[in-house]
Amino acid sequence: MKTILVDPSLCIQCTNCQISCKDEHTDNDWTPIAAPQAKGQFWIRIDERETGSGSRMRLERTPVLCQHCENAPCIAVCPNNAIYTRPDGIVIIDPVACKGCGTCRAACPYDAVFENPQLGISQKCTMCAHLLDEGWDAPRCVRGCPTDALQYVDVESLNQRDLPAPLERLMPDEETNPRVAYIRTHKPFVAGGVISPKEGKALDGACVTATHQVTGSIYRTQTDTYGDFAVNAIEPGFYTIEVMIDGYYPRVFTDYDLREAKNMGEVRLYPKA
């Protein structure tokens, strides 16, 4: 059994995945897997979010598609038994049995099921099951991705392969047990610049330590030549942040809210002598 592995850190929003999906499904009838895709519809999307602020703002991109859940809520609520899971784990909406009532669209926590008003049915990503049945090695979106932000991998290997980061799932609190897997999803960061206003210079090599006030997790970094720093991919929560360098009085920030990314701006340190 295979699934899609998504690495949002590699997504450059080239939209090749969306273009490939449109090319495969627009005006093409792959019944019983899928009827033609509706105009203006995207079965894979790139969610964008700005985090931080000012010169320390980042644009985060996350590809989202049907998660092909083991405990698929869309299957549970369909009154026409039009949605089913194939032996290979792919969740399919039967375009003939579907009556377009919309209960599946309302039940999907990932907003990955769409209305086709022209045909009066619901539709979503099929993981290009019709192509896989013909022997293709991957869905079109995966084959179109130039950065490997999307990969088609063996499910069994996800617990064994040398992944560059821990395996994650979208919205784990939903308990849908999605088959689509993620690594390196976007986490909060804290950034800023350390300066000595009395001396009129940036402080290179200052140590910045962020300690999670509940778990005790510690993240450290140092400022660069320009006094800038960024503590990346931290666990959301409240932190104690300490900024220090030899010869200067340290600064300590308590109860610092890092449930979202923050730009601390200038952190001013003063020489001891």
Side-chain angles (χ1 to χ4, degrees):
M1 187 180 294
K2 289 195 169 185
T3 191
I4 293 177
L5 177 66
V6 184
D7 185 345
S9 71
L10 298 178
C11 179
I12 58 174
Q13 204 188 15
C14 64
T15 71
N16 276 13
C17 58
Q18 294 180 309
I19 294 170
S20 298
C21 181
K22 298 297 290 183
D23 180 65
E24 185 62 33
H25 292 282
T26 300
D27 295 329
N28 291 325
D29 192 341
W30 303 118
T31 301
I33 300 299
Q37 188 181 98
K39 301 296 190 293
Q41 194 176 101
F42 294 96
W43 293 352
I44 181 169
R45 69 179 188 270
I46 311 298
D47 285 351
E48 281 192 335
R49 188 173 70 126
E50 293 182 359
T51 60
S53 61
S55 61
R56 299 179 179 94
M57 185 272 289
R58 298 178 186 176
L59 183 62
E60 299 177 344
R61 305 177 178 93
T62 302
V64 180
L65 64 157
C66 170
Q67 301 293 292
H68 297 276
C69 308
E70 289 185 17
N71 302 323
C74 58
I75 294 178
V77 301
C78 180
N80 301 302
N81 296 318
I83 311 176
Y84 63 95
T85 303
R86 294 174 17 136
D88 58 5
I90 298 175
V91 176
I92 297 294
I93 299 177
D94 185 331
V96 176
C98 178
K99 305 304 179 185
C101 67
T103 55
C104 58
R105 300 194 297 271
C108 177
Y110 308 100
D111 293 325
V113 184
F114 308 93
E115 178 186 12
N116 185 323
Q118 291 81 33
L119 299 179
I121 61 174
S122 295
Q123 294 182 295
K124 67 174 192 63
C125 162
T126 65
M127 216 175 280
C128 289
H130 64 290
L131 295 179
L132 300 178
D133 290 345
E134 293 178 3
W136 281 50
D137 61 352
R140 286 289 305 271
C141 61
V142 175
R143 294 184 71 169
C145 180
T147 63
D148 287 336
L150 304 176
Q151 299 180 54
Y152 196 54
V153 301
D154 289 315
V155 173
E156 293 78 8
S157 72
L158 289 176
N159 295 324
Q160 304 168 11
R161 59 188 276 131
D162 186 20
L163 293 171
L167 199 64
E168 302 177 66
R169 308 285 178 176
L170 281 189
M171 302 172 66
D173 292 342
E174 292 293 335
E175 298 182 351
T176 59
N177 199 12
R179 289 187 175 88
V180 174
Y182 286 73
I183 56 171
R184 291 192 289 216
T185 59
H186 300 293
K187 301 291 194 304
F189 69 89
V190 59
V194 182
I195 66 169
S196 170
K198 184 174 182 178
E199 299 167 308
K201 66 177 184 180
L203 296 180
D204 180 11
C207 180
V208 181
T209 303
T211 305
H212 196 288
Q213 293 184 343
V214 175
T215 67
S217 298
I218 297 175
Y219 304 85
R220 287 193 178 93
T221 191
Q222 287 188 328
T223 56
D224 60 18
T225 303
Y226 304 100
D228 291 331
F229 70 88
V231 184
N232 296 309
I234 64 176
E235 178 185 359
F238 288 84
Y239 281 78
T240 297
I241 300 177
E242 183 179 35
V243 182
M244 60 186 301
I245 188 172
D246 288 345
Y248 293 80
Y249 291 104
R251 292 284 305 277
V252 178
F253 303 83
T254 59
D255 298 325
Y256 203 85
D257 186 355
L258 291 179
R259 290 173 295 179
E260 298 285 344
K262 292 289 177 61
N263 175 10
M264 295 184 70
E266 289 185 351
V267 179
R268 301 183 177 191
L269 300 186
Y270 293 87
K272 291 181 177 179

